[in-house]
Amino acid sequence: IAARNDAQSRTVRSYRNDLLTESDWTQLADATADKTAWASYRQALRDVPSQAGFPHNITWPTTP
């Protein structure tokens, strides 16, 4: 069970990291995005591993 949890944890973290990478552009100085909304979204992504259901029951934040 521990190995399965470790594998799931790696999978979830990898997906989370991909979402963070895809939203990096929103924090650039010349980005036209709502920086506050995107910063909140990005923080929620960073907080995913601290969710009670991690790594099997994840509530993903909504993209702004």
Side-chain angles (χ1 to χ4, degrees):
I1 293 176
R4 185 174 36 170
N5 284 344
D6 288 345
Q8 181 66 15
S9 176
R10 283 191 302 274
T11 299
V12 169
R13 287 175 190 269
S14 178
Y15 178 65
R16 185 268 322 256
N17 291 344
D18 289 345
L19 293 175
L20 282 166
T21 299
E22 290 171 6
S23 65
D24 280 349
W25 67 272
T26 65
Q27 301 306 298
L28 297 174
D30 61 348
T32 59
D34 179 346
K35 286 188 181 16
T36 303
W38 279 97
S40 294
Y41 168 75
R42 291 167 54 80
Q43 184 59 54
L45 287 173
R46 288 190 289 276
D47 292 342
V48 161
S50 63
Q51 290 184 13
F54 182 83
H56 298 288
N57 186 16
I58 305 298
T59 301
W60 292 100
T62 303
T63 307

